[in-house]
Amino acid sequence: MADTAAQHRGYVAQVGSSDPDEVYGALRRIKNSVIGSSTKKALYMRLDVVAAVGAVLTSEQTSVGSRIQATAIAGSLARSRTAGAAAASGLAARGVVAALVRQLQAGTDERLVEASERALYALLAHDETLAAGGGGGGEAALVEQVLGIISGSGSGAQEAGPRAAMRLELAVLIVARLCVSEARQYMVANTGVLAALVQQLGRAAHVRLQAATLQALAALSYENGEICAALAEADGVAAAAVRLARASDAHVRLHACRVAANLSRMRALAGGDVQTVVVPALVRLVRAPVADVEAVRALGYVCHEDADVQAAARAAGAIDALVGRLSAAWAAAQGDFGDAARFAREARAAFLALGTVVSTSEDSRRAAVDAGAFSHIVRALAHDDSGVRAAACLCARYIVRSVAVCRTHAADAGLLRPLLALLRDTCSDVQAAAAATLVNLLADFSPLRADALAQGLLATLVALLDAPATAPAVRRNALWAVRNVLVGADDATRRAVVGAVGVERLLALSEGSDAAMREHATGALRNVAADSAWGCDALFAARGLPPTLALLTALAQRPDASADRAALVHALYLANNIAVRSDTHRAHVAAHVPLVQAVVRHAASRASEVAVAALWCVSSVAAAGGTRLLRRLGVVRVLEQLLADASLPLEVHDRAKSCIDCFSDEQEQEEEVEQAEPNHGEQAE
């Protein structure tokens, strides 16, 4: 007769008994219940069996028999398809990993050693294991344990037999699971583990040990320039990573590629090896019938912001391979044994990697469209998992950077409606990703801009501008979308945006504390005033002449440091647009000494984009009657210095030459100066 829920609860309670026989009996019954039964595993997880098992394994008073039973339970729980990650994390947090390592020591009962090995393999299969810490005596004590095993391996684990090799492999895997943050990486490296792993890589006799060593080195060096530099300087590590990327074993190839990718991203490995060896190896791993999600992640990681590596990935077939992984993931999720958590992991990784691979190349974006990426993206935008929705948004964002794709395929794919819906998603990360994707779909060349406005986009964006401070990316991307709606807008659209968002709001955001919000707000103001007398005058109507001039001056007086450079450029073009287009206010702008002083100062900037924007202002202020003021402030000397500096870009020289023509004696007498180009709105991303 089956045990009742009350009896199972009683077994968990008996594990805490002071009677060793009662403890053993309860653990044996629990073990027999959970092995092979996902239902019983879930039941015992709800009954907090993790805490009970953790207490048994970390106690020095526990008998060998009870340890064997508790260890078997720990391994069985960690193998659960649905609750394995939670069980592994909970057990590790209670010091179980360290306890299991102690049970591997020489002289331990052979049955307990074997059970401990199986349990550790099950626990270390999860990323979550040790993510929160080593538990028990802490991660530092755990590192000392595993360092003792690694350092004590002598000239090779093969000489000491398979059990010693297995113990060494587990110790190395623990290092890999510990290194989930920069602080952990340094903590582990400073104990001497890094040097021990480098030595181990050169003498690892077993393929599994070789793969584990590479996995640990990959975890230690991920996003860590200092450790990558140390590995690059270590004799033979970089060469070994490239060589082992061609190994016959798939796990060795994967982790060798991960090490090489880390070194490449930190500029510690030659690009040629990455493009000719590592990238093709990763693409082959992604194409494998059962691809490890780490291969997909590594491919995306090594391609990040590197056009040459991305081109190599496209040539190796990465785009078709990643779209194929998405097709396979959907098919597996719909099968009888579909695993929702696994699908979410694979889909997130594939979308992010695909977005990275196509991020800089028009040809790659078209290839992604031709491969059928949009059908997967549109489907994923409605998925239950917020991470999948956000990753699909990011992938779409990079693909629609293409003007051709944005004009045609994006509209045909049906992207707009689900993206607009995601602006109201319950997850702020999804809202931010959707808003960022819409930025390009709202450009003046996109046929979707009018459709989005007709479907109430502006009201939604205004609501997002009021998002809580805990979601800054939502507010930034919403304002960015507002800014792009105004790029090349006609007066009807300009009036609609100004009416919905409000000039006063934009003015306030342009002088706020958030640098990204300042950039987007100033850019939006620039576009309001671009080629529109109505837009220019609307800016002054919000606060009146003196306060608006004071704000415009403050915006133009920003330093040209990189943090605020984009906002400064927008501010200079805003001043230019007003000087060109506003019949009412151009004379006030041209005669405002602090503003014109700022313009002259920035004309001499070493940042070419700042200098060009300021030089346009010089032309426009001169055209508005400010020639004498400009001359008095020394602009002619600045222009002569710019023309004499051969190191400056051609665009700066051209603009300076055009400006200096405004200051000939004849032109100054007659005030017949060159008119600046009328439209200085910005271009889409």
Side-chain angles (χ1 to χ4, degrees):
M1 184 175 179
D3 292 337
T4 65
Q7 288 174 308
H8 289 297
R9 188 176 294 106
Y11 298 153
V12 175
Q14 289 171 13
V15 172
S17 170
S18 58
D19 183 347
D21 293 335
E22 189 174 356
V23 172
Y24 175 82
L27 288 168
R28 191 168 183 274
R29 292 186 185 94
I30 294 171
K31 181 199 72 175
N32 292 338
S33 296
V34 299
I35 289 179
S37 173
S38 57
T39 302
K40 292 294 174 56
K41 286 184 176 75
L43 169 64
Y44 274 104
M45 285 291 291
R46 290 195 298 273
L47 296 175
D48 201 18
V49 74
V50 166
V53 168
V56 168
L57 289 174
T58 55
S59 171
E60 295 182 359
Q61 308 304 317
T62 304
S63 66
V64 170
S66 291
R67 284 188 178 279
I68 293 173
Q69 302 300 319
T71 302
I73 294 168
S76 181
L77 291 174
R79 292 186 190 93
S80 170
R81 276 182 22 187
T82 56
S89 178
L91 288 164
R94 289 169 173 81
V96 167
V97 172
L100 293 175
V101 171
R102 285 192 294 271
Q103 292 176 178
L104 296 176
Q105 302 305 316
T108 305
D109 185 283
E110 282 295 309
R111 295 170 302 162
L112 181 56
V113 171
E114 186 176 342
S116 300
E117 290 167 349
R118 289 199 301 267
L120 279 169
Y121 278 122
L123 286 165
L124 296 172
H126 297 283
D127 293 340
E128 293 80 2
T129 303
L130 299 175
E139 53 241 46
L142 180 57
V143 170
E144 283 194 21
Q145 281 183 281
V146 300
L147 178 59
I149 295 173
I150 296 171
S151 301
S153 60
S155 61
Q158 192 173 25
E159 299 176 8
R163 178 127 287 161
M166 190 176 295
R167 184 166 63 248
L168 179 56
E169 178 191 353
L170 287 167
V172 173
L173 288 173
I174 289 170
V175 172
R177 289 298 182 222
L178 274 170
C179 295
V180 294
S181 68
E182 185 181 83
R184 291 271 197 89
Q185 289 171 330
Y186 284 122
M187 182 270 292
V188 171
N190 289 338
T191 63
V193 165
L194 182 62
L197 289 173
V198 169
Q199 290 180 349
Q200 187 61 52
L201 180 63
R203 69 189 185 206
H206 297 279
V207 169
R208 287 178 56 151
L209 179 55
Q210 198 171 53
T213 303
L214 288 164
Q215 184 177 350
L217 289 171
L220 264 167
S221 58
Y222 179 71
E223 286 285 288
N224 193 311
E226 189 174 348
I227 291 179
C228 281
L231 287 179
E233 292 171 4
D235 187 30
V237 173
V242 174
R243 173 175 54 80
L244 293 173
R246 298 188 178 99
S248 58
D249 182 81
H251 290 95
V252 171
R253 288 202 309 275
L254 168 60
H255 298 302
C257 287
R258 291 178 62 208
V259 172
N262 293 349
L263 295 176
S264 171
R265 283 290 303 276
M266 297 295 114
R267 303 293 184 261
L269 181 65
D273 289 333
V274 174
Q275 295 166 33
T276 60
V277 178
V278 177
V279 168
L282 284 170
V283 173
R284 286 192 292 272
L285 287 167
V286 171
R287 286 189 184 279
V290 184
D292 192 316
V293 71
E294 286 297 335
V296 179
R297 290 171 180 161
L299 178 59
Y301 182 68
V302 77
C303 289
H304 184 68
E305 294 184 349
D306 192 319
D308 292 335
V309 176
Q310 290 170 19
R314 183 180 73 248
I319 293 171
D320 286 337
L322 290 167
V323 174
R325 288 313 313 162
L326 287 166
S327 298
W330 287 112
Q334 292 176 327
D336 293 337
F337 300 100
D339 184 338
R342 178 174 180 175
F343 169 80
R345 287 194 302 272
E346 293 191 352
R348 286 196 299 266
F351 279 127
L352 294 175
L354 181 59
T356 301
V357 170
V358 307
S359 62
T360 62
S361 167
E362 183 76 6
D363 290 339
S364 295
R365 294 172 195 132
R366 286 199 296 267
V369 172
D370 293 342
F374 271 148
S375 63
H376 294 298
I377 289 170
V378 172
R379 188 177 181 184
L381 293 177
H383 194 267
D384 292 341
D385 186 89
S386 62
V388 172
R389 298 196 298 276
C393 285
L394 182 75
C395 187
R397 173 186 174 185
Y398 287 128
I399 293 175
V400 299
R401 279 181 172 177
S402 163
V403 175
V405 169
C406 200
R407 280 176 170 162
T408 55
H409 300 287
D412 297 339
L415 274 177
L416 181 61
R417 190 173 295 276
L419 283 172
L420 291 175
L422 292 183
L423 292 178
R424 298 182 292 275
D425 199 273
T426 55
C427 174
S428 62
D429 289 342
V430 174
Q431 288 179 303
T437 305
L438 281 167
V439 165
N440 286 326
L441 294 177
L442 298 174
D444 55 337
F445 54 74
S446 171
L448 296 177
R449 175 192 278 184
D451 292 342
L453 292 172
Q455 293 179 42
L457 170 69
L458 288 178
T460 305
L461 292 178
V462 170
L464 294 182
L465 290 177
D466 293 322
T470 53
V474 174
R475 301 176 69 240
R476 291 168 187 158
N477 291 346
L479 186 55
W480 192 5
V482 168
R483 168 182 149 190
N484 249 32
V485 171
L486 288 163
V487 173
D490 55 29
D491 256 359
T493 301
R494 185 178 286 107
R495 289 171 188 262
V497 174
V498 169
V501 179
V503 169
E504 176 54 42
R505 183 198 291 265
L506 294 176
L507 291 171
L509 291 173
S510 72
E511 53 186 347
S513 59
D514 186 304
M517 295 293 280
R518 289 197 301 272
E519 174 190 344
H520 296 319
T522 312
L525 291 168
R526 165 189 174 180
N527 292 332
V528 167
D531 202 19
S532 171
W534 176 87
C536 293
D537 295 342
L539 301 185
F540 285 91
R543 291 188 179 180
L545 178 61
T548 305
L549 279 176
L551 174 58
L552 186 58
T553 302
L555 296 179
Q557 287 175 335
R558 288 171 175 154
D560 64 357
S562 57
D564 248 344
R565 185 171 297 162
L568 171 61
V569 170
H570 289 314
L572 291 169
Y573 279 122
L574 171 59
N576 173 79
N577 290 339
I578 295 170
V580 171
R581 279 293 172 185
S582 177
D583 293 333
T584 308
H585 300 107
R586 62 162 53 115
H588 296 292
V589 170
H592 195 69
V593 176
L595 175 58
V596 179
Q597 281 179 324
V599 168
V600 173
R601 176 166 61 86
H602 288 307
S605 172
R606 300 303 296 181
S608 61
E609 64 271 34
V610 175
V612 169
L615 290 169
W616 275 110
C617 285
V618 169
S619 296
S620 300
V621 168
T627 311
R628 288 187 176 85
L629 174 59
L630 286 165
R631 186 184 288 276
R632 191 170 73 246
L633 293 174
V635 75
V636 173
R637 180 174 52 82
V638 171
L639 294 172
E640 290 171 346
Q641 289 173 345
L642 292 176
L643 290 171
D645 190 344
S647 67
L648 293 175
L650 180 62
E651 58 183 345
V652 176
H653 279 167
D654 285 348
R655 212 48 249 147
K657 186 177 185 304
S658 180
C659 287
I660 206 165
D661 290 341
C662 299
F663 297 92
S664 67
D665 291 339
E666 180 182 355
Q667 285 175 315
E668 185 177 354
Q669 289 169 7
E670 299 180 1
E671 290 293 342
E672 292 177 357
V673 290
E674 173 194 26
Q675 284 284 341
E677 288 188 11
N679 183 0
H680 273 293
E682 60 177 326
Q683 300 298 311
E685 181 185 11

